[in-house]
Amino acid sequence: MAAPIEQVRREMTQCRAAPVTVAMAEGDGIGPEISAAVRRMLEAAGAAVRFDPVTLGEACYLEGVTSGIPPEAWDSLREHRVLLKGPITTPQGGGYKSLNVTLRKTLGLFANVRPCRAWHPFVTTRHPDMDLVIVRENEEDTYAGIEHRQTAEVTQCLKLISSPGSERLIRYAFELARAQGRKRVDCLTKDNIMKLTDGLFHRIFDEVAREYPEIEANHLIIDIGTALIADRPERFDVVVAPNLYGDIVSDVAAQITGSVGLGGSANIGENFAMFEAVHGSAPDIAGRNIANPSGLLLAALEMLRHVGDPATARTLQNPWLATLADGLHTADLYREGVSRKRLGTAEFADAVCQRLGREPAGYSERAPGALPSAEDTWRPIARRPEKRLHGVDVFVDWDDHGRDPNRLGDIVAELAQGLVLEPVIITNRGVKVWPGGIPETRCTDHWRCRFLAPEEAAVGHAEVLELLARFARAGLDFIKTEHLYSFDGERGWSLGQGE
Ligand code: NAI
């Protein structure tokens, strides 16, 4: 028989840990509704946390704080080092930076951990056995946010993958697998196309995996990897991926557990942790008291384990499951014939609080895995390789002569006369168009002219500057350059398609 609520509360109060203060931002859109619901459930369960409310997001953006994070919020974050955060709306246009990305990067929250498990039989899902954890890189990749418009037609986003950043993240994924007794880590990249950036991530994955022989390590190309996660998620255990792929695949995985509203996530750094739902601020349903607070609740339970109150995390997960087991579902989970009643956000929280002390029937909890703490695993490269300059890619904005690549080829061949750097190829959107391109290739106004020196020749900045001076004199608008280096004799640039 279930214990009376007051007795459960009394017992929980007696055994709970000393309270820890955490910063709490309620967020935008559905944020205030789900945050209030989660806070009420935590307080009812006697969680050993106090909240220091901070204001972040839309209101701050609209007051002219372009980061969305005012100085007093930074003070609170620095003081408490743990943040429970509702979803934030990043206003479109106007140069506003995503606050989520800023927080993750400024606070060094390098690992975004997103557990995606089925809550079978309480939540309808086609994948009752799925129980995977996605460990997404959080600071690099295209999310470095370095973008430029370079010509009238072409924009560019820089994808940065570093070896210390990848190693730290991948090591964390294996440590998590070890701490939670998980058997396999899958790495997702697109290194068949991005051989240098994703190739580096994959290579480091293989290297780190050798240190964990008891854990099966496997690499998949992101497209088939995502398809397999969507189709057979129960085959996966821990998944590690660069930032963008990890972001996409974790929404897929959260959705197929039953609803994206069920996804919680932890952002882990060496001295700081932030807990949030996987989903966004859902402006389409904001203010209607219909959002599911479960994603933020599950993130909050992870936070409780992090601050040393695993008992309340356990205590609160049970009534939450018991509520679902009773068929009391928010609109996103409601299924005719399966659910008993459709509840609003606040009523769902009430129902959970009423079930404190109850365990869901027919459910055996797999011990919720602890997250390993983030050790100081940032390892700058130990030995700097021998770096040698061989040439340069000069990108030009060129819209003359009907965009005939052969005319551009003639121009650059002539201007480089007598220089050590010789033109070898011109590409347009990565495809070779000179020498010997084909007329069917559609060309933009953005051209890459590659210059290389003969193998024995020495090349330095002076040779590059001389070449660029000739570009300027010829009236060619060079918009960026990339140097072509080798490292310990290994080519550090990709070949153009058709090169
Ligand atoms: P979204 O996740 O907010 O919404 C996608 C769909 O899922 C919508 O139909 C929404 O109604 C539904 N949904 C989301 N959460 C739900 C919940 N708890 N219960 C029931 N249904 C739920 O994604 P969207 O629309 O792309 O983004 C909206 C805003 O959120 C944007 O400004 C975006 O930048 C921001 N965002 C913020 C994140 C964060 O703060 N960590 C993460 C992702 C997006």
Side-chain angles (χ1 to χ4, degrees):
M1 210 183 77
I5 292 175
E6 278 318 313
Q7 184 194 330
V8 173
R9 286 205 181 119
R10 237 186 348 265
E11 283 170 11
M12 286 185 313
T13 311
Q14 281 158 8
C15 65
R16 77 184 181 200
V20 173
T21 304
V22 303
M24 179 162 189
E26 62 176 19
D28 303 318
I30 57 171
E33 300 157 67
I34 59 173
S35 296
V38 167
R39 196 169 162 165
R40 199 141 53 75
M41 290 185 270
L42 292 178
E43 282 168 358
V49 283
R50 289 200 199 97
F51 296 105
D52 181 12
V54 293
T55 305
L56 304 171
E58 215 170 10
C60 307
Y61 286 123
L62 299 178
E63 276 176 15
V65 182
T66 51
S67 68
I69 312 167
E72 52 280 15
W74 282 119
D75 292 343
S76 170
L77 301 184
R78 249 182 247 114
E79 185 183 343
H80 305 308
R81 306 207 158 266
V82 177
L83 169 66
L84 179 62
K85 185 182 76 63
I88 303 287
T89 303
T90 308
Q92 292 292 311
Y96 299 109
K97 281 280 183 196
S98 160
L99 170 163
N100 300 310
V101 176
T102 304
L103 280 176
R104 290 169 190 157
K105 295 208 298 197
T106 311
L107 300 172
L109 305 172
F110 66 90
N112 187 343
V113 181
R114 297 181 158 188
C116 298
R117 59 179 287 188
W119 297 100
H120 180 76
F122 313 121
V123 176
T124 308
T125 167
R126 282 195 290 271
H127 309 286
D129 296 322
M130 80 179 277
D131 177 14
L132 62 95
V133 181
I134 293 166
V135 181
R136 161 195 171 194
E137 198 287 318
N138 230 2
E139 299 177 288
E140 304 189 343
D141 198 353
T142 47
Y143 287 51
I146 306 174
E147 293 191 297
H148 297 96
R149 179 173 174 179
Q150 296 180 322
T151 69
E153 289 181 348
V154 177
T155 51
Q156 171 196 268
C157 176
L158 223 51
K159 172 170 171 129
L160 296 176
I161 303 275
S162 78
S163 51
S166 304
E167 182 183 339
R168 166 160 82 158
L169 188 265
I170 291 164
R171 197 172 289 288
Y172 187 81
F174 277 95
E175 285 297 323
L176 183 146
R178 194 174 259 177
Q180 299 194 351
R182 292 175 179 269
K183 303 278 178 277
R184 171 173 151 162
V185 180
D186 282 273
C187 171
L188 305 179
T189 75
K190 187 79 181 171
D191 68 339
N192 53 332
I193 304 294
M194 284 161 276
K195 298 188 169 68
L196 291 182
T197 47
D198 283 15
L200 175 65
F201 194 90
H202 184 175
R203 183 161 56 73
I204 291 175
F205 174 77
D206 289 344
E207 283 167 18
V208 173
R210 283 197 279 278
E211 297 173 35
Y212 298 83
E214 78 280 16
I215 297 168
E216 187 187 336
N218 185 42
H219 173 266
L220 288 165
I221 299 294
I222 177 67
D223 21 9
I224 187 62
T226 309
L228 286 174
I229 288 176
D231 189 41
R232 279 172 262 164
E234 59 285 347
R235 285 180 34 171
F236 291 85
D237 208 351
V238 175
V239 173
V240 65
N243 206 334
L244 176 61
Y245 311 141
D247 195 5
I248 295 169
V249 88
S250 53
D251 263 34
V252 171
Q255 178 66 29
I256 61 175
T257 64
S259 164
V260 72
L262 290 171
S265 95
N267 297 269
I268 303 289
E270 277 164 33
N271 297 308
F272 201 95
M274 175 171 89
F275 299 85
E276 59 182 342
V278 166
H279 60 76
S281 56
D284 53 335
I285 57 167
R288 293 166 53 195
N289 188 38
I290 59 174
N292 188 346
S294 300
L296 189 61
L297 176 66
L298 291 175
L301 300 190
E302 202 63 70
M303 179 192 76
L304 292 182
R305 293 183 201 108
H306 179 82
V307 301
D309 187 12
T312 309
R314 225 176 6 256
T315 315
L316 195 45
Q317 184 173 297
N318 281 333
W320 171 69
L321 280 172
T323 307
L324 297 174
D326 286 347
L328 304 179
H329 294 159
T330 43
D332 55 320
L333 295 180
Y334 186 85
R335 301 279 179 282
E336 214 50 73
V338 177
S339 309
R340 202 159 58 79
K341 202 167 173 198
R342 192 194 309 256
L343 294 188
T345 313
E347 292 69 32
F348 183 82
D350 287 342
V352 173
C353 294
Q354 283 155 12
R355 284 165 179 74
L356 278 167
R358 253 188 62 186
E359 292 190 6
Y363 179 75
S364 59
E365 168 61 346
R366 289 154 276 178
L371 293 182
S373 59
E375 306 296 335
D376 179 3
T377 49
W378 179 263
R379 305 251 183 285
I381 205 145
R383 183 192 69 84
R384 299 200 71 76
E386 191 206 331
K387 179 176 165 189
R388 192 174 149 213
L389 184 60
H390 298 263
V392 63
D393 280 349
V394 183
F395 291 78
V396 292
D397 179 350
W398 189 71
D399 194 22
D400 296 337
H401 304 290
R403 299 188 183 178
D404 175 1
N406 292 319
R407 286 300 294 268
L408 183 60
D410 291 344
I411 294 169
V412 297
E414 195 181 326
L415 70 77
Q417 285 278 338
L419 295 181
V420 66
L421 288 167
E422 296 164 0
V424 291
I425 185 176
I426 297 176
T427 65
N428 197 292
R429 289 186 292 168
V431 177
K432 176 180 160 183
V433 291
W434 178 90
I438 58 167
E440 284 77 10
T441 306
R442 293 263 185 215
C443 291
T444 67
D445 54 3
H446 186 274
W447 309 78
R448 174 180 58 169
C449 308
R450 172 161 291 172
F451 294 83
L452 280 169
E455 190 45 43
E456 67 286 355
V459 189
H461 287 153
E463 283 70 28
V464 174
L465 288 174
E466 162 128 42
L467 177 68
L468 293 179
R470 292 199 184 182
F471 265 79
R473 282 200 292 276
L476 280 181
D477 180 14
F478 61 89
I479 47 178
K480 117 191 184 105
T481 57
E482 290 288 351
H483 289 185
L484 308 177
Y485 293 108
S486 65
F487 295 83
D488 282 346
E490 191 181 320
R491 183 164 41 79
W493 65 92
S494 62
L495 298 178
Q497 283 161 16
E499 190 171 351

